[in-house]
């Protein structure tokens, strides 16, 4: 009687692809994204249901306008990232969950926070400092120094750019081109030029992080 062959064990990759919940943050798998999302949920509920005057004061105190950046930069730079412009229904709210979860699963929570903060801080400075210079030169009114500026979109855009560097080329380039085209359209529409420029700066910052995030993730140029 011929010897019976033992069935080959199932690969581990297949079950992983059948777990769609891994697209969302969890307390143990992605603690940074999960905890941050919980804070954003609370602040979004505050903006939705609290007294409008109180909400305005809170947002004004957290704004990274030029006046606040000159006086209390260490306070307003992190505080401005505690709010979602547009609330929980903003596209950047969903982008935050999907992009930061995917990035944290690849490089860890602390490193994901570094990428997010790089985009948030550098893009904020890149858009607000020219406003201050324009006011000094007399090209903008003094009221521009108190422009309300807050939200997570710069950090999300930078995280998206960084995550693209860890994807395979067939997925990386269509996503980058599609997102970049959307940002260019926002800039051409002139709805909010400073924010539009900030989103483009953030995306470039994320792309500039490719060598760093690839080293952290332990992947080569082909990525995974």
């Amino acid at each position: 009687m011929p010897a019976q062959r033992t069935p080959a064990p199932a690969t581990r990759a297949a079950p992983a692809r059948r777990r769609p919940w891994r697209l969302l943050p969890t307390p143990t798998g992605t603690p940074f994204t999960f905890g941050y999302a919980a804070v954003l949920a609370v602040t979004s509920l505050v903006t939705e249901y609290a007294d409008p005057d109180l909400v305005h004061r809170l947002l004004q105190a957290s704004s990274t306008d030029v006046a606040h950046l000159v006086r209390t930069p260490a306070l307003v730079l992190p505080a401005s990232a505690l709010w979602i412009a547009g609330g929980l229904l903003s596209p950047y709210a969903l982008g935050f969950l999907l992009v930061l979860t995917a990035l944290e699963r690849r490089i860890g929570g602390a490193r994901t926070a570094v990428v997010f903060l790089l985009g948030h801080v550098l893009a904020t400075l890149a858009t607000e400092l020219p406003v201050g210079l324009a006011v000094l030169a007399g090209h903008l009114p003094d009221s521009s120094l108190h422009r309300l500026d807050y939200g997570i979109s710069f950090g999300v855009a930078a995280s998206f750019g960084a995550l693209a560097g860890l994807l395979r080329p067939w997925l990386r380039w269509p996503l980058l081109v599609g997102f970049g085209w959307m940002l260019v359209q926002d800039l051409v529409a002139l709805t909010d030029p400073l924010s539009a420029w900030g989103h483009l700066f953030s995306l470039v910052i994320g792309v500039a992080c490719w060598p760093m995030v690839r080293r952290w993730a332990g992947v080569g140029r082909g990525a995974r």
Side-chain angles (χ1 to χ4, degrees), residues 5-196:
R5 295 183 179 179
T6 303
T11 61
R12 296 182 180 178
R17 294 171 185 169
R18 303 187 192 121
R19 292 181 290 180
W21 61 84
R22 285 178 60 84
L23 297 175
L24 297 176
T26 60
T28 55
T30 54
F32 168 71
T33 305
F34 185 88
Y36 196 173
V39 172
L40 292 174
V42 171
T43 58
S44 296
L45 291 174
V46 169
T47 58
E48 182 71 23
Y49 296 107
D51 178 73
D53 291 336
L54 172 62
V55 171
H56 179 75
R57 290 197 299 271
L58 291 173
L59 294 179
Q60 189 67 57
S62 304
S63 174
T64 48
D65 52 60
V66 177
H68 278 129
L69 286 174
V70 171
R71 295 197 303 267
T72 56
L75 173 63
V76 295
L77 281 170
S80 63
L82 298 178
W83 309 89
I84 304 177
L88 293 176
L89 298 181
S90 166
Y92 282 99
L94 178 60
F96 173 91
L97 291 176
L98 297 179
V99 172
L100 267 73
T101 296
L103 188 60
E104 185 172 358
R105 291 194 186 279
R106 288 163 171 79
I107 65 175
R111 292 164 175 173
T112 298
V114 168
V115 173
F116 183 93
L117 287 174
L118 277 176
H120 176 71
V121 172
L122 295 182
T124 296
L125 296 177
T127 52
E128 290 295 341
L129 291 182
V131 172
L133 295 176
V135 171
L136 287 176
H139 299 307
L140 288 175
D142 290 347
S143 60
S144 300
L145 299 176
H146 304 279
R147 170 182 174 271
L148 196 61
D149 187 17
Y150 66 92
I152 60 171
S153 58
F154 290 172
V156 173
S159 300
F160 180 91
L163 175 64
L166 300 178
L167 303 176
R168 294 191 182 279
W170 66 267
L171 181 58
R172 175 192 313 146
W173 298 114
L175 287 176
L176 275 179
V177 171
F179 187 54
W181 177 247
M182 182 186 73
L183 298 183
V184 170
Q185 286 184 312
D186 289 343
L187 182 61
V188 172
L190 295 177
T191 303
D192 189 350
L194 282 180
S195 293

